[in-house]
Amino acid sequence: MHDWPANTVQAIPRIAADLRERGLCAGRISPVTGRAVAPGNTCAAAYRTISARDGAFHGKVVVTNTGTTPLDGWRVTLTLPAGVRISAVRSGVATGATGTVTVTGTRHNSAVRPGRSTTFGLTGTRTGDEAVAGVTCADPSGDTPAHARTTGRVEDLGDSVRYTWPGVTFEGRFQGTGVGIELNDAANDYDVQIDGAAPVTLRTPGRTTHWVTGLGGGVHTVRLAKRTESPWTPGEFGGFVAAPGGRVLAPPAARARQIEFIGDSWTAGYGNMSTSRDCSASGGINPDSNADQAFGALTARTLNADHQLTAWSGLGMVRNYNGGSPGTDFRTYYDRTLQAAGTAAWQPPKTWRPQVVVVGLGINDFSTPLNPGEPWADTAALAADFRAAYLGFLAKLRLRYGPGTFIVLTYPTMSGTPLADIVEQVVRERNSQGDRRMSALHYDNDALGLDLLGCDWHPSLHDHRLLAGALGRFIGTLPVRW
């Protein structure tokens, strides 16, 4: 991977402008870099009911390429009246079942030639006469970056997105010999993968379009992952840009499996790439941290799941590391889109309904002795507040994601602290109240063979692989209906 020569990069806007003047294309201009981005094709969709009886119905949607060039990917949006629920879709991948439902094509029918059509079928139930109130079609290859395949919390700016949480990823597809990645971020490091090959790291790239060139012709995938934490400083992603002669295609379909990981530095991958507990000689925490190689991301990839990392090093459920930043804790920021860079609450999209949520909080609450002036008289008082806060936090998660989501509370070996007892008590209390999809997993440091050789005695890459294995095996014992 390497950058394009400056003279070639500088010529791209001029080439795009020339093509527009000659009527050969129409493009948008990225606000991040000012570069032209090729538009998508056009499509149309029409719905008709095939049969209906006793509140059930069967229908068909016809998707037509109304453009003059091949359509490589389509997305149909169905508006369903109240009382209508989709139960199955054939020859399509659906997101949602009520309200607004989106359907994308499969590998067998995503490509549609100019003037040609394809179809998908759907079945469902309804309480009224109308099954579908509206249907529209779009070519997602012309989407703004905010509608790229994104996992993690982002603030949609229209032609770009901002984010702070670690492990945010962007996935795309393109045709041609190269791809540009538009970034505006002088604080974070990223990993870039092409076609699933070994990642290449971008260190604090700044405002740039990073080019990957010299690829063979054909269709390729690109994946961008934010390695580092930046609670106060958002990064900005402006999209993928195809090299001259190529084009950006519809992004990969969302994975059916979804997992959210909630936690602290263990979950964020703090210092996990270091081979020494003192990582000052190797550049410090950020260069030695990689959220995309933390146990959450590793577990998700093993299970072929999309994942979200909601983690912040040093924060606890009620007490931060060594009593720092009193008056705030993890719960202060959990609901936010941009952590400490903004107070706007994150609105979970309808497409984000994780079947499993993994929570790992409490290390910072109990890892250091109480200091004079802290609001707890002793560890017992801290433990009581921790337990009450944990129960309240779990009630929030249950309300957000519903009774079907499995919630796993994890904790490592922390001898001499009440963490293990409290977590197990909390699970028993939730179970006794009828919440049977709540469980606990103990990471036994010695039994797993953790070396804690990451920065400041944190799990190393070796440890994260062991943690991912233990967590994956535990999730495998749960009756999750993926």
Side-chain angles (χ1 to χ4, degrees), residues 100-125:
T100 301
V101 176
T102 60
V103 181
T104 54
T106 69
R107 62 174 180 161
H108 303 294
N109 66 350
S110 287
V112 186
R113 287 182 289 173
R116 304 296 293 272
S117 300
T118 188
T119 65
F120 67 87
L122 54 91
T123 57
T125 57

